[in-house]
């Protein structure tokens, strides 16, 4: 297997770390990586078993990072096809170990409880037989704990493996001594009891907990796996010899591809021939199919419903929209939220503190406990070590982030980091760009005013006919309006585009002018009959385009950039949540106020240069506001980067997408509401997880130490402690998985 190339300057390097079992393990790996010269940043996600490192390759390469991880007592899997199956392979190994280990542990348990199960065969009640059965559990199944503990010890650290190794070894070797030298115990006045069942059952229960945890954690990555499952394997490419089916990896930008009904679009591109309707729900969350015609974009992994078409491939491989979505989700799932810092700090000192508590517990019971003191002290010592596992604490945040970001991806909301996810619910001010964000980003005909004696159908048909050859946005708007009315265009001759003014042509034998007031007036045509209508349109911030036929005024079109269908509803929902809503635009104040009124926005900042938008965001932040910026264009990029959270519409530019913290793939502003609600629910889940993780240890450790014994006569059996420890981790993951069922 060839090794991965060294990282480039400033790039992020990912390592698939094996052998981690708790937050303490993750902290140890982080410390080891940060000690490597050239490492600027290192973060380890226990839920994904992934280390993300920012390193200067002129100082250290990948080999140094791998060596640091292995030196800390953990492994590194290659990031190739084999590595992708590492998690499943570990799950299968855990399942196999639990099955045979559980069988032996059950026999040991039944044989040890001879008074409860007298029917057990005499050989299985023999202490030497129990010793023989317990040994492979202790040193084969338990080898992973010894290896992890030794790796941590070499760096002067301790982790969960340390707790398990010390605790089970104490019970095992105490039992060995009681089996081989029972007389020594009798001389000391201590009953020669054995606890092979305790050490064996504890190891198996911990492995069983890890098995359940691995299965539950695997479900947190379902979103990414589902996205990966959408990738088509082949494509039908049109060549000189006709159509041929080829592997998706062999498709190149510029290839012409064919998609038939029911097939998956293989890569991103533009339709060149044919019409169809495509299910784009995987990127937009919208269930309704989208009509496609020549010139329309198509996205890889979307599903063609009924028509056949050909399209030109433009983005292939890792450049496709689906690949970028997968990459963003994976990166987000590997990040930490600021709320995790407390857990990380505690985890770093937790295990040494627990060992200290366990030693004090042993000493207290050995000196002051009831007879047999040594036995009782040992059991309480083991119980403290076992119940104190910080696994639940370490899983509290990353599992919730994994599920939350995966849920967002299903809704077309791509959250790029845990920090963005946490900050979003704190936002109290939302700033919207106008053009392309609140509005469609293209002009539409909103008003049609025919001159006296002119039928509205004739006006639209003739104007659309002469505008059909034009590529001007205003002309295309007129064409769309006529098409929507079901009007067929006339034949056009002598077409002329008059730059900056309009168009002129002969349609159906009639000479038609469409364009600015200056164009029509220059032809000697009186505009007075429609002057009042023109003034009204101007007052509403709309653009007026005139039409003349055979030297006479025919009518007037009012055009404006129309509000997106869901914009008003999204703004209303955000306002009901108590948020301050601001519209920020470079457009003139009159037009801005018109659009703002339609969207239900009272606060407008207009006529702002692109470079000054970030300054407006800064002023709001200076007022103590947590600001989210929603935009789509290159001119919005500085403001998106400056805001506490930047949200870019997926219909906008790549620059805006790169500058933002959250990408709304569909371009629907309801995504802003969904993103904020997702943030709120995810952070609530994290807080619940952390509360129960802390509460478990706050209650469990004192009980295991025996604080209730003087009052209630209660002590915690080590086996019960191990079961409780496993269930605490599983409960945290299960609580995170509830986010998958959330509706918003």
């Amino acid at each position: 297997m060839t090794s991965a190339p060294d990282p480039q300057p400033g790039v992020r390097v990912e390592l698939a770390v094996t052998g981690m079992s708790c937050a303490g393990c993750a902290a140890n790996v982080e410390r080891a990586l940060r000690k490597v010269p050239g490492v600027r940043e290192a973060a380890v996600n226990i839920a994904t078993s992934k280390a993300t490192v920012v390193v200067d390759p002129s100082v250290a390469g990948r080999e140094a990072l791998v060596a640091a991880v292995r030196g800390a007592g953990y492994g590194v899997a290659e990031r190739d096809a084999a590595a992708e199956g590492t998690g499943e392979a570990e799950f299968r190994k855990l399942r196999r170990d639990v099955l045979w280990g559980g069988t032996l542990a059950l026999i040991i348990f039944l044989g040890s409880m001879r008074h409860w199960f007298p029917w057990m065969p005499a050989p299985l009640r023999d202490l030497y037989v129990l010793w023989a059965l317990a040994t492979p559990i202790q040193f084969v199944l338990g080898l992973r704990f010894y290896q992890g503990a030794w790796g941590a010890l070499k760096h002067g650290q301790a982790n969960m493996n340390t707790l398990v190794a010390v605790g089970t070894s104490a019970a095992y070797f105490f039992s060995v001594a009681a089996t081989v030298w029972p007389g020594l115990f009798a001389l000391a006045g201590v009953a020669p009891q054995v606890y092979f069942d305790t050490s064996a059952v504890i190891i198996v229960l911990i492995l069983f907990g890890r098995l359940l945890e691995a299965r539950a954690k695997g479900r947190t990555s379902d979103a990414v796996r589902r996205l990966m499952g959408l990738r088509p394997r082949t494509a039908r490419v049109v060549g000189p010899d006709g159509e041929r089916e080829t592997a998706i990896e062999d498709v190149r930008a510029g290839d012409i591809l064919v998609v038939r009904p029911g097939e998956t679009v293989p890569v991103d591109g533009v339709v060149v021939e044919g019409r169809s309707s495509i299910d784009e729900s995987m990127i937009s969350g919208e269930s309704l199919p989208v009509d496609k015609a020549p010139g329309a974009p198509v996205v890889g992994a979307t599903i063609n419903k009924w028509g056949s078409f050909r399209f030109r491939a433009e983005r292939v491989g890792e450049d496709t929209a689906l690949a970028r979505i997968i990459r963003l989700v994976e990166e987000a799932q590997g990040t930490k939220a600021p709320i995790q810092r407390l857990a990380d700090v505690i985890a770093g000192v937790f295990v040494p503190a627990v060992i200290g508590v366990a030693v004090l517990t042993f000493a207290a019971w050995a000196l002051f406990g009831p007879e047999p003191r040594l036995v009782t002290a040992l059991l309480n010592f083991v119980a403290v070590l076992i119940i104190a596992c910080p696994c639940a604490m370490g899983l509290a945040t990353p599992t919730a982030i994994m599920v939350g970001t995966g849920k967002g991806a299903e809704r077309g909301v791509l959250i790029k980091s845990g920090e963005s996810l946490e900050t979003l619910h704190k936002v109290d001010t939302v700033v919207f760009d106008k053009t392309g964000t609140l509005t469609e980003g293209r002009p539409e005909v909103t008003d049609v005013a025919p001159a006296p004696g002119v039928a509205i159908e004739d006006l639209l048909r003739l104007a659309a006919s002469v505008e059909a050859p034009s590529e001007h946005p205003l002309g295309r708007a007129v064409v769309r309006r006529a098409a929507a009315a079901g009007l067929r265009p006339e034949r056009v001759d002598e077409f002329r585009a008059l730059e900056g003014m309009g168009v002129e042509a002969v349609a159906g034998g009639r000479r038609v002018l469409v364009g600015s007031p200056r164009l029509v007036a220059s032809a000697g045509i009186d505009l007075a009959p429609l002057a009042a209508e023109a003034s009204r349109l101007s007052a509403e911030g709309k653009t007026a385009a005139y039409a003349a036929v055979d030297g006479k005024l025919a009518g007037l079109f009012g055009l404006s950039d129309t509000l997106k269908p869901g914009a008003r509803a999204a703004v209303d929902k955000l306002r009901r949540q108590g948020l301050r809503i601001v519209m920020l635009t470079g457009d003139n104040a009159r037009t801005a106020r018109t659009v703002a009124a339609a969207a239900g926005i009272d606060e407008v900042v207009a006529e702002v240069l692109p470079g000054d938008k970030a300054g407006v965001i800064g002023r709001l932040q200076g007022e103590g506001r947590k600001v989210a910026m929603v935009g789509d264009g290159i001119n919005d990029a500085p403001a998106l980067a400056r805001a506490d959270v930047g949200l870019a519409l997926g219909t906008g530019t790549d620059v805006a997408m790169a500058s933002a913290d959250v990408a709304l793939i569909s371009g629907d502003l309801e995504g802003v509401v969904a993103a904020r609600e997702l943030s709120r629910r995810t952070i609530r889940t994290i807080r619940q997880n952390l509360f129960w993780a802390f509460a478990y240890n706050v209650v469990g450790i004192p009980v295991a130490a025996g604080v209730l014994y003087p009052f209630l006569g209660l002590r915690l059996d080590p086996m019960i402690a191990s079961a409780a420890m496993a269930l605490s981790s599983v409960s945290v993951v299960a609580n995170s998985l509830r986010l998958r069922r959330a509706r918003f």
Side-chain angles (χ1 to χ4, degrees), residues 27 83 86 88 166 198 202 444 504 508 516 545 554 575-576 581 661 715:
T86 299
E88 185 61 31
V166 173
T198 299
I202 284 173
E444 296 291 348
E504 180 183 12
S516 68
R575 182 179 286 106
R576 286 197 295 271
I581 311 298
D661 305 296
R715 291 192 298 110

Side-chain angles (χ1 to χ4, degrees), residues 35-375:
K35 291 178 180 177
V36 177
V39 170
R40 301 169 185 170
E41 183 182 335
V44 178
N45 189 320
I46 184 65
T48 60
S49 298
K50 183 170 66 179
T52 304
V53 188
V54 178
V55 64
D56 180 355
S58 65
V59 182
R62 179 184 173 88
E63 304 267 335
L65 303 178
V66 172
V69 174
R70 290 172 176 166
Y74 305 91
V76 177
E78 293 290 335
R79 300 294 290 179
D80 56 11
E84 295 299 327
T86 299
E88 185 61 31
E90 288 185 355
F91 176 81
R92 290 195 299 268
K93 186 176 186 304
L94 274 171
R95 183 173 56 189
R96 184 175 63 250
D97 289 348
V98 167
L99 284 174
W100 75 261
T103 303
L104 291 182
L106 179 61
I107 296 172
I108 296 169
F109 177 80
L110 295 175
S112 300
M113 303 295 164
R114 61 191 72 184
H115 302 297
W116 293 0
F117 308 103
W119 45 268
M120 286 291 293
L124 296 181
R125 289 181 283 165
D126 184 82
L127 294 184
Y128 284 90
V129 172
L130 297 178
W131 180 14
L133 295 175
T135 298
I137 297 178
Q138 186 70 38
F139 299 108
V140 178
L141 294 187
L143 179 62
R144 67 196 77 193
F145 302 119
Y146 288 108
Q147 289 174 333
W150 174 245
L153 182 62
K154 286 192 297 184
H155 291 79
Q157 299 161 359
N159 55 24
M160 173 58 193
N161 296 304
T162 308
L163 302 183
V164 177
V166 173
T168 59
S169 295
Y172 175 84
F173 286 110
F174 182 93
S175 302
V176 170
T179 301
V180 179
W181 302 291
L184 294 178
F185 288 81
L187 290 174
V190 177
Q193 298 182 27
V194 297
Y195 295 95
F196 291 121
D197 57 328
T198 299
S199 62
V201 171
I202 284 173
I203 289 173
V204 171
L205 281 175
I206 291 173
L207 293 181
F208 181 64
R210 289 189 179 181
L211 180 70
L212 296 178
E213 185 182 297
R215 172 52 57 90
K217 285 197 298 184
R219 293 174 62 195
T220 64
S221 299
D222 279 353
V224 171
R225 278 197 295 272
R226 282 197 295 269
L227 287 171
M228 288 181 172
L230 295 173
R231 289 172 164 168
R233 298 180 182 273
T234 61
R236 195 175 288 106
V237 180
V238 179
D241 302 326
E243 299 176 11
R244 60 181 176 85
E245 193 165 316
T246 186
I248 197 71
E249 295 83 7
D250 296 330
V251 176
R252 299 291 181 263
D255 287 348
I256 302 298
L257 292 88
V258 178
V259 182
R260 296 190 176 123
E263 293 182 344
T264 299
V265 179
V267 296
D268 300 359
V270 175
V271 177
V272 296
E273 182 184 328
R275 295 176 179 272
S276 187
S277 185
I278 294 181
D279 179 358
E280 295 185 337
S281 58
M282 74 92 178
I283 61 166
S284 67
E286 284 293 328
S287 58
L288 294 176
V290 180
D291 294 334
K292 300 293 181 179
V298 292
V299 180
T302 56
I303 300 173
N304 184 31
K305 301 298 288 185
W306 54 265
S308 293
F309 64 92
R310 295 187 176 190
F311 75 100
R312 182 179 60 255
E314 291 194 339
R315 292 184 174 181
V316 301
E318 294 302 308
D319 292 330
T320 64
L322 179 62
R324 293 200 305 270
I325 289 171
I326 292 172
R327 191 159 55 247
L328 284 172
V329 175
E330 287 181 327
E331 288 175 358
Q333 292 185 339
T335 61
K336 295 182 179 182
I339 197 173
Q340 190 175 347
R341 291 169 187 160
L342 175 62
D344 287 347
V345 171
I346 293 175
V349 299
F350 186 79
V351 173
V354 168
I355 293 175
V357 171
V359 171
L360 289 174
T361 299
F362 181 87
W365 282 91
L367 293 173
F368 308 110
E371 295 292 347
R373 292 178 180 175
L374 187 60
V375 173

Side-chain angles (χ1 to χ4, degrees), residues 282-583:
M282 74 92 178
I283 61 166
S284 67
E286 284 293 328
S287 58
L288 294 176
V290 180
D291 294 334
K292 300 293 181 179
V298 292
V299 180
T302 56
I303 300 173
N304 184 31
K305 301 298 288 185
W306 54 265
S308 293
F309 64 92
R310 295 187 176 190
F311 75 100
R312 182 179 60 255
E314 291 194 339
R315 292 184 174 181
V316 301
E318 294 302 308
D319 292 330
T320 64
L322 179 62
R324 293 200 305 270
I325 289 171
I326 292 172
R327 191 159 55 247
L328 284 172
V329 175
E330 287 181 327
E331 288 175 358
Q333 292 185 339
T335 61
K336 295 182 179 182
I339 197 173
Q340 190 175 347
R341 291 169 187 160
L342 175 62
D344 287 347
V345 171
I346 293 175
V349 299
F350 186 79
V351 173
V354 168
I355 293 175
V357 171
V359 171
L360 289 174
T361 299
F362 181 87
W365 282 91
L367 293 173
F368 308 110
E371 295 292 347
R373 292 178 180 175
L374 187 60
V375 173
T376 306
L378 174 68
L379 292 176
N380 288 337
F381 171 78
V382 174
V384 169
L385 291 176
I386 298 303
I387 204 167
C389 169
C391 292
M393 195 185 307
L395 292 168
T397 298
T399 54
I401 288 176
M402 289 179 69
V403 178
T405 52
K407 181 70 176 180
E410 294 175 1
R411 285 289 308 271
V413 178
L414 298 184
I415 299 172
K416 297 183 180 180
S417 69
E419 185 171 1
S420 307
L421 185 63
E422 180 174 342
T423 304
L424 192 53
H425 86 287
K426 302 176 183 177
V427 164
D428 56 23
T429 302
V430 181
V431 179
F432 287 97
D433 170 55
K434 180 181 77 70
T435 305
T437 301
L438 287 169
T439 66
E440 294 286 3
R442 65 178 187 182
E444 296 291 348
V445 176
T446 58
D447 302 81
V448 182
V454 179
I456 190 170
E457 292 83 3
D458 290 338
L459 171 62
L460 268 173
R461 183 175 57 255
L462 290 171
S465 298
V466 299
E467 289 285 8
S470 172
E471 294 297 326
H472 195 281
L474 298 182
R476 304 314 301 169
V478 174
V479 173
R480 287 193 297 272
R481 178 63 180 265
L487 301 174
R488 296 177 63 86
E490 302 279 356
R491 178 182 173 184
V492 174
D493 298 302
E494 302 178 28
F495 174 81
R496 276 199 313 151
L498 306 169
E499 189 175 351
M501 298 178 67
V503 295
E504 180 183 12
V506 175
R510 308 174 74 179
R511 184 161 294 278
V512 182
L513 284 175
V514 181
S516 68
R518 185 158 61 97
L519 171 65
V520 178
S522 67
I525 297 170
D526 184 13
L527 305 181
L530 294 175
E533 184 68 15
S535 296
R536 181 185 68 81
L537 294 175
S538 178
E540 293 177 0
K542 298 178 181 178
T543 300
Y546 288 82
V549 179
D550 293 335
K552 295 181 179 179
L553 185 65
L556 178 66
F557 298 99
L559 300 101
S560 71
D561 190 2
T562 57
L563 199 68
K564 286 184 176 180
R568 179 64 185 254
V571 169
D572 288 343
K573 288 179 181 178
L574 293 171
R575 182 179 286 106
R576 286 197 295 271
Q577 295 176 10
L579 274 68
R580 177 182 176 184
I581 311 298
V582 181
M583 190 178 81

